[in-house]
Amino acid sequence: MLEQYANNIILNSIEENKDKLDNSKISVIHPEISIKYSSINVFLGKQGTGKTFTLYKELLKLSMIDSNVHLIIIATKDNRKDVTFELFRDKIDIPLITVSYENIIEFINNIIFYKLIYEYIISENLMDKIEDEQKNEVLTFLHLDNFEKSSLQEVIIFDDAAYQEIITKKPDIINIIHQVRHYKLIFCFCVQGIKAIPLPIKEQMTTLFIFPGFINQKLTTIFQQSGITELEYEEFKQIYRNLNNRDYIIVNCQTGNIDIIDGKI
């Protein structure tokens, strides 16, 4: 009797908060977009194999649809800008800003803070009950024009993230990553070797993008740490060796399944 009563309370609570739970879970944004809401994505490839290009193409597609993503944040060392970034910047119709590694943790914490305020205003229907100055402060920081979106997500990109102190020695960013669903964030890491990815990030990976060019020794390590379960290593290696230039493999780290993507334009 007590067990059933507790179960009924839990089920009713879940139903009452269904929208909030749906907005925070890992979920598909669009069938033709590989990154997901509330996810951690790793783009793994040697320099020049197309990982950054592929990431920005994903963002370009994202900017073509109506979604919860309202801001793209690129964390860079010394505010350096990638050539691919400059190529795509004017084509992506979502506010896109760069933040130095030195300031990125503080910036993400501020994003979380203002997003909580935004969502409280929405949930309590306070848009007409607070001063314009307060509303403008929230909207300006979040790079929004109004309160039309019911839920917000941000894409946070760490380009050339390998062995950077920000992800290897700073617990703050790892703590945020562990709560990525709660905070409703989308992380994207571009790295040249899987060993460069800290264990906490590997454990939380949603999607892994693998690009051509790795030798067998490194490919073995990638397979072992990728979460692939639908193939044996020799099958995976054969598929990988048949990739053409700009092709890549997408690993769904939640299911262990893979997709082979034709990357030609």
Side-chain angles (χ1 to χ4, degrees):
M1 178 72 71
L2 190 61
E3 179 76 14
Q4 184 60 49
Y5 182 62
N7 286 341
N8 287 340
I9 292 175
I10 292 170
L11 290 172
N12 288 336
S13 179
I14 290 173
E15 184 61 31
E16 290 171 2
N17 294 277
K18 185 176 183 301
D19 289 343
K20 290 183 179 180
L21 292 171
D22 285 346
N23 286 332
S24 65
K25 70 181 182 180
I26 298 170
S27 57
V28 173
I29 299 174
H30 184 277
E32 295 184 44
I33 296 175
S34 299
I35 59 175
K36 299 175 181 178
Y37 285 128
S38 304
S39 64
I40 296 173
N41 309 272
V42 174
F43 292 74
L44 177 64
K46 298 169 70 175
Q47 188 171 9
T49 54
K51 61 183 183 296
T52 305
F53 177 87
T54 300
L55 168 56
Y56 282 109
K57 189 164 73 170
E58 288 288 298
L59 300 179
L60 181 60
K61 291 187 289 184
L62 185 58
S63 74
M64 295 175 177
I65 65 168
D66 183 24
S67 75
N68 293 339
V69 176
H70 69 101
L71 184 62
I72 299 168
I73 303 157
I74 303 177
T76 66
K77 186 176 181 180
D78 303 322
N79 281 323
R80 288 181 296 184
K81 294 180 177 62
D82 183 83
V83 174
T84 308
F85 164 80
E86 295 297 338
L87 176 67
F88 278 93
R89 180 167 192 155
D90 294 337
K91 310 295 187 299
I92 296 174
D93 192 24
I94 297 174
L96 192 155
I97 60 173
T98 58
V99 181
S100 70
Y101 281 164
E102 182 182 0
N103 297 320
I104 188 63
I105 293 173
E106 179 183 2
F107 189 85
I108 293 173
N109 285 330
N110 284 333
I111 282 285
I112 292 168
F113 171 74
Y114 279 103
K115 191 159 62 171
L116 286 172
I117 296 174
Y118 176 97
E119 293 181 349
Y120 179 75
I121 292 171
I122 292 290
S123 64
E124 300 298 320
N125 198 25
L126 299 176
M127 286 79 78
D128 298 325
K129 299 176 183 177
I130 60 176
E131 295 179 5
D132 287 344
E133 184 178 353
Q134 294 172 313
K135 288 191 289 187
N136 290 336
E137 180 183 347
V138 174
L139 293 174
T140 298
F141 193 88
L142 295 174
H143 292 258
L144 290 167
D145 296 323
N146 51 54
F147 288 89
E148 291 181 359
K149 289 184 181 294
S150 59
S151 182
L152 302 177
Q153 297 229 2
E154 303 78 29
V155 178
I156 304 171
I157 300 169
F158 284 81
D159 199 7
D160 193 21
Y163 303 111
Q164 295 293 343
E165 186 175 304
I166 186 69
I167 65 169
T168 58
K169 297 182 180 179
K170 300 284 186 182
D172 308 67
I173 197 70
I174 298 301
N175 291 337
I176 293 172
I177 286 169
H178 276 300
Q179 300 186 71
V180 69
R181 288 177 60 189
H182 175 69
Y183 292 138
K184 290 180 285 187
L185 301 168
I186 302 168
F187 278 97
C188 297
F189 297 92
C190 293
V191 297
Q192 295 189 35
I194 199 161
K195 289 184 177 180
I197 309 168
L199 182 60
I201 295 178
K202 290 177 188 173
E203 291 174 340
Q204 300 291 324
M205 271 194 310
T206 309
T207 308
L208 174 63
F209 298 72
I210 308 174
F211 295 84
F214 290 110
I215 61 174
N216 286 342
Q217 182 182 4
K218 292 188 176 181
L219 194 60
T220 303
T221 304
I222 291 169
F223 178 80
Q224 292 170 344
Q225 299 186 20
S226 66
I228 296 172
T229 57
E230 72 166 333
L231 298 172
E232 297 295 331
Y233 171 68
E234 289 301 323
E235 296 175 279
F236 169 74
K237 184 173 72 171
Q238 185 61 43
I239 291 171
Y240 183 80
R241 291 297 171 222
N242 287 333
L243 293 178
N244 296 314
N245 186 34
R246 295 291 184 183
D247 292 353
Y248 54 96
I249 293 171
I250 294 180
V251 183
N252 183 329
C253 301
Q254 297 174 286
T255 65
N257 297 330
I258 73 166
D259 288 306
I260 299 94
I261 306 299
D262 183 345
K264 69 181 178 182
I265 299 177

